[in-house]
Amino acid sequence: MEFKLAVLPGDGIGPEIIEEAVKVLGAVGNRFGHGFNLNYGLVGGVAIEKEGTSLSIDTLKMCRRSDAVLLGAVGDPKYDDPQAPVHPEDGLLALRKELGLFANLRPVTVYPSLIDNTNFKPEVIKGVDFIFVRELTGGLYFGRPKRQWRTSRGRRAVDSMVYSEQEIERIVRVGFGIARTRKKKLISVDKANVLQSSRLWRQVTIEASRDYPDIDLEHMLVDACAMRIIQNPRYLDVLVTENTFGDILTDEASMLGGSLGMLASASLAGVPKEGSRTLGMYEPSHGSAPRRARQDMANPIATIISMAMMLRYSLGLTEEAKKVEDAVEKVMEEGYRTYDIMGEGRTKVGTKKMGDLIAERAGG
Ligand code: IPM
Ligand code: MG
């Protein structure tokens, strides 16, 4: 089959990790006889530099015309000044909003061969396997008012955590749907003891749960959830939560897998179904790590696993996705490690070598 993909490498380590994901994609494509038509575009700091905006209309159009979008990372210390008029991250947020990618899936997996390379006791993290369903186009990131202004008594600023019941309902239904394919248990994470938006979240979730009598629904406060992730992560299976809570909790949870460099992500415009075709954007959960850029150091695995999620959810290629995931697992078992997951007695490799190893096994 032929597929049309938009590829947006972005900033920092973005181009390097994307190159490896494309390498693995090529290998698995050859193996199964698929062709990928790749169209490259700019987003983030590089786009500001070359096109004067963090996301051009043309790039957005190109993404709309594609079967899926593969993205590296955005962010550049040049724009860290809080007074900067533009930010690379704006391009990423615009893509999520404009493409309607409200459902962000972030699976947390602990590879058995990596357990020794984490900060956790084996008995705590052995067998950990859960998934976050993070709402991605609402909440504090997009809510209005959102501004900074001067008053006679100094400066003030506001961000608004806004949710409509429709926005809540569609994301919790994604959570229930995924719970149905797993252990039939859904944890909805909120701060309903304090926040109005969370109280609505909880009501809407309870109402929606009537359509899923087979699913065991639990509400968990976000602070308790942060604790539970560290204390007893095996307790977790499917978690659904709003945008900012999801952002913070997923970085925390990534440490269970050894590194943020292992946490993949899929952002979808509809209900995910294996073998079906939903528009989606696939990117690692980590940032552009500018200090690691251009040193052949960065871990490309989160991007490669995100690409596998693309095969599964946007291109309908289930077997091919599995092949890539198995290739990653094999390379981990064989003891190859990038710097961030390096451990005693393992073989340290750079970005390119890691990509080669996975590509060989995915194409074999
Ligand atoms: C993520 C990132 C982004 C977010 C940044 C880069 C805007 O941290 O995908 O988790 O906050 O959503
Ligand atoms: Mg984040």
Side-chain angles (χ1 to χ4, degrees):
M1 284 217 275
E2 283 290 322
F3 300 96
K4 206 165 151 183
L5 304 178
V7 183
L8 311 178
D11 303 319
I13 59 170
E16 298 160 63
I17 52 181
I18 282 291
E19 197 176 319
E20 301 317 307
V22 166
K23 193 187 276 174
V24 178
L25 179 67
V28 79
N30 278 342
R31 163 80 168 66
F32 288 86
H34 304 303
F36 300 102
N37 180 354
L38 308 181
N39 298 294
Y40 282 78
L42 301 178
V43 66
V46 281
I48 296 177
E49 222 138 280
K50 298 206 174 122
E51 300 177 335
T53 165
S54 56
L55 177 70
S56 72
I57 304 276
D58 285 347
T59 305
L60 179 61
K61 274 192 192 152
M62 193 237 320
C63 294
R64 282 216 172 94
R65 285 195 305 262
S66 303
D67 295 309
V69 183
L70 194 57
L71 186 138
V74 297
D76 187 322
K78 251 191 275 176
Y79 305 94
D80 277 354
D81 178 356
Q83 298 211 49
V86 283
H87 296 276
E89 289 78 5
D90 298 343
L92 177 61
L93 298 185
L95 268 170
R96 290 174 179 173
K97 191 71 172 178
E98 293 295 325
L99 299 175
L101 307 174
F102 67 92
N104 181 225
L105 312 186
R106 297 187 167 182
V108 179
T109 342
V110 176
Y111 292 94
S113 61
L114 264 175
I115 287 180
D116 293 344
N117 305 132
T118 71
N119 295 336
F120 297 85
K121 291 185 192 145
E123 62 267 31
V124 174
I125 57 166
K126 215 165 147 212
V128 162
D129 172 17
F130 61 94
I131 183 165
F132 276 100
V133 181
R134 169 187 173 194
E135 201 290 326
L136 204 60
T137 52
L140 282 177
Y141 280 58
F142 296 96
R144 301 282 160 183
K146 180 185 199 68
R147 66 188 185 103
Q148 207 186 104
W149 72 100
R150 291 181 184 279
T151 73
S152 55
R153 281 180 298 156
R155 287 166 295 174
R156 290 176 73 88
V158 63
D159 290 286
S160 309
M161 194 182 274
V162 181
Y163 273 105
S164 70
E165 62 175 300
Q166 290 81 5
E167 284 174 309
I168 298 169
E169 189 181 339
R170 68 180 178 177
I171 192 71
V172 297
R173 283 188 186 276
V174 169
F176 280 112
I178 294 179
R180 221 168 226 172
T181 67
R182 297 176 51 114
K183 293 187 185 153
K184 309 217 177 327
K185 207 182 110 178
L186 177 67
I187 297 176
S188 170
V189 181
D190 64 34
K191 186 72 186 174
N193 53 347
V194 177
L195 302 176
Q196 281 300 338
S197 54
S198 281
R199 289 181 190 141
L200 180 62
W201 181 283
R202 201 174 273 213
Q203 286 163 32
V204 172
T205 305
I206 291 169
E207 287 154 19
S209 73
R210 298 189 186 120
D211 292 338
Y212 306 87
D214 51 323
I215 307 295
D216 169 27
L217 170 67
E218 177 180 345
H219 304 281
M220 198 180 276
L221 295 173
V222 62
D223 45 354
C225 181
M227 178 192 68
R228 192 60 72 95
I229 286 171
I230 301 296
Q231 177 232 9
N232 185 11
R234 256 195 310 245
Y235 180 78
L236 311 170
D237 193 54
V238 183
L239 300 111
V240 64
T241 192
E242 69 85 42
N243 204 345
T244 307
F245 297 162
D247 179 44
I248 299 168
L249 294 176
T250 54
D251 262 35
E252 183 196 0
S254 77
M255 294 321 292
L256 300 166
S259 163
L260 191 48
M262 301 295 291
L263 191 69
S265 128
S267 308
L268 304 173
V271 176
K273 255 206 208 121
E274 281 206 22
S276 86
R277 302 181 58 171
T278 312
L279 176 65
M281 182 161 82
Y282 300 83
E283 53 172 321
S285 301
H286 59 70
S288 58
R291 283 184 305 130
R292 309 286 181 197
R294 289 174 295 280
Q295 297 171 62
D296 191 31
M297 252 184 117
N299 184 349
I301 293 179
T303 317
I304 292 169
I305 307 173
S306 304
M307 183 274 287
M309 294 178 87
M310 171 184 86
L311 296 172
R312 175 172 286 126
Y313 295 125
S314 283
L315 309 186
L317 304 176
T318 310
E319 199 186 330
E320 291 82 344
K322 185 85 178 43
K323 184 87 184 164
V324 173
E325 289 158 356
D326 288 349
V328 171
E329 184 154 8
K330 213 182 253 167
V331 170
M332 290 296 97
E333 273 162 22
E334 291 167 18
Y336 296 103
R337 301 284 188 269
T338 41
Y339 81 94
D340 57 318
I341 46 176
M342 187 56 192
E344 229 180 273
R346 308 298 193 184
T347 313
K348 195 163 168 184
V349 297
T351 312
K352 284 182 190 302
K353 178 75 182 168
M354 184 56 94
D356 288 341
L357 290 162
I358 297 170
E360 267 167 39
R361 285 146 190 81

